[in-house]
Amino acid sequence: MDKYGLIGYPLGHSFSIGYHNQRFADEGINAKYINFEIPSIDSLPEVLNSNPELKGLNVTIPYKEKVIEFLDYISPEARAIGAVNVIRVVHEGKNIKLRGYNSDVIGFTQSIEPMLESYQKKALVLGTGGASKAIAYGLKSLGIEPVFVSRYERPGTIQYGSITPEVVHEYPVIVNCTPLGMFPKVDTCPDLPYEAMDDKNILYDLIYNPDETLFMKLGAKQGASVKNGLEMLLLQAFASWEFWNGKE
């Protein structure tokens, strides 16, 4: 039986394990998806050596950037982003080769593209982690200029306190890549001038639990278009399968 899995720490509730195992069952695929909760990325070789049937991995927090040093190949897209969340495990005799990809870009761009209007040319990307880098890369590929928003003074970012109503109008697309509003802390949200938003804004939240975050609710109340991250996750998972099975 082939094995696939997820590496990260901590893992807690994982969308991937349920999705992939259900898909294997539905499509009669002789495979199993396993969570590998490893407290250090240095445990990756041990996971590979003790699971010779392993054909592919997903990578989540906090290893999307740290895993790169273990890879034999990294796709141009993943290299440009600086983060990997899909690994194809290739067995060549006794040798194991690891090929790294990024499915965040595919999932995000396919999910947000139908929402976009021609006048939406600039975006605020809330957060500066691995996911936000993929989102910024995806926005650029759609012809949208992204700006990172951080709580701290960092080069190439603006701070939440600098986001005025004028900024919200200039940057009509706003993507939340932070955990603010995620279950169980559903009464939190990024600090933005929501009252300045209107029907020209898109608020896209990478969070999918709850279905509608406070960030989305406050935007929708002003007429903004809103979407959570569930469709992105489904599209990412589908892309993972293609990467594992030979798509370059």
Side-chain angles (χ1 to χ4, degrees):
M1 178 184 286
D2 291 342
K3 284 185 185 175
Y4 299 88
L6 174 68
I7 58 169
Y9 190 84
L11 290 181
H13 170 72
S14 159
F15 167 87
S16 299
I17 191 168
Y19 170 86
H20 287 292
N21 282 324
Q22 187 62 52
R23 182 175 181 186
F24 297 155
D26 291 346
E27 299 186 21
I29 298 168
N30 187 27
K32 184 178 183 183
Y33 193 98
I34 301 162
N35 279 352
F36 298 104
E37 190 172 61
I38 53 175
S40 166
I41 191 61
D42 295 327
S43 300
L44 177 57
E46 185 184 333
V47 169
L48 297 165
N49 292 331
S50 56
N51 294 276
E53 312 90 344
L54 204 56
K55 292 294 193 325
L57 289 167
N58 288 123
V59 184
T60 190
I61 295 168
Y63 302 136
K64 288 185 181 187
E65 292 156 290
K66 294 175 185 173
V67 77
I68 289 173
E69 65 186 272
F70 291 86
L71 305 177
D72 299 287
Y73 166 86
I74 179 169
S75 72
E77 202 166 58
R79 187 177 296 282
I81 295 162
V84 163
N85 71 332
V86 182
I87 298 172
R88 190 197 317 169
V89 182
V90 182
H91 297 269
E92 297 178 351
K94 291 186 178 179
N95 295 324
I96 297 173
K97 301 286 186 185
L98 302 180
R99 300 175 67 85
Y101 307 89
N102 191 300
S103 67
D104 283 337
V105 177
I106 298 167
F108 173 69
T109 53
Q110 289 180 354
S111 179
I112 197 171
E113 191 169 21
M115 303 177 72
L116 296 169
E117 300 290 349
S118 58
Y119 55 79
Q120 292 162 329
K121 291 297 185 187
K122 292 186 176 183
L124 298 175
V125 178
L126 312 182
T128 54
S132 64
K133 291 172 189 170
I135 296 310
Y137 184 96
L139 287 165
K140 286 178 190 171
S141 77
L142 294 170
I144 296 172
E145 176 192 330
V147 171
F148 292 107
V149 180
S150 174
R151 288 175 294 169
Y152 310 106
E153 293 280 349
R154 286 181 175 151
T157 69
I158 63 172
Q159 281 59 56
Y160 284 95
S162 303
I163 300 177
T164 61
E166 290 73 27
V167 172
V168 166
H169 294 147
E170 187 183 351
Y171 293 83
V173 180
I174 305 174
V175 185
N176 180 34
C177 304
T178 79
L180 284 170
M182 186 186 295
F183 181 84
K185 297 181 180 178
V186 297
D187 57 347
T188 60
C189 66
D191 184 13
L192 300 169
Y194 293 93
E195 68 283 353
M197 296 174 187
D198 58 28
D199 60 2
K200 290 184 170 58
N201 289 104
I202 291 175
L203 273 63
Y204 191 106
D205 204 328
L206 266 56
I207 293 168
Y208 60 94
N209 183 14
D211 291 339
E212 187 180 38
T213 59
L214 185 56
F215 167 75
M216 292 166 62
K217 282 179 186 172
L218 293 172
K221 189 177 175 184
Q222 303 299 323
S225 299
V226 300
K227 195 169 195 175
N228 70 19
L230 184 59
E231 184 184 52
M232 176 179 163
L233 267 181
L234 291 165
L235 292 164
Q236 278 177 281
F238 190 78
S240 294
W241 180 251
E242 294 197 333
F243 285 132
W244 292 332
N245 289 279
K247 186 189 170 196
E248 292 304 329

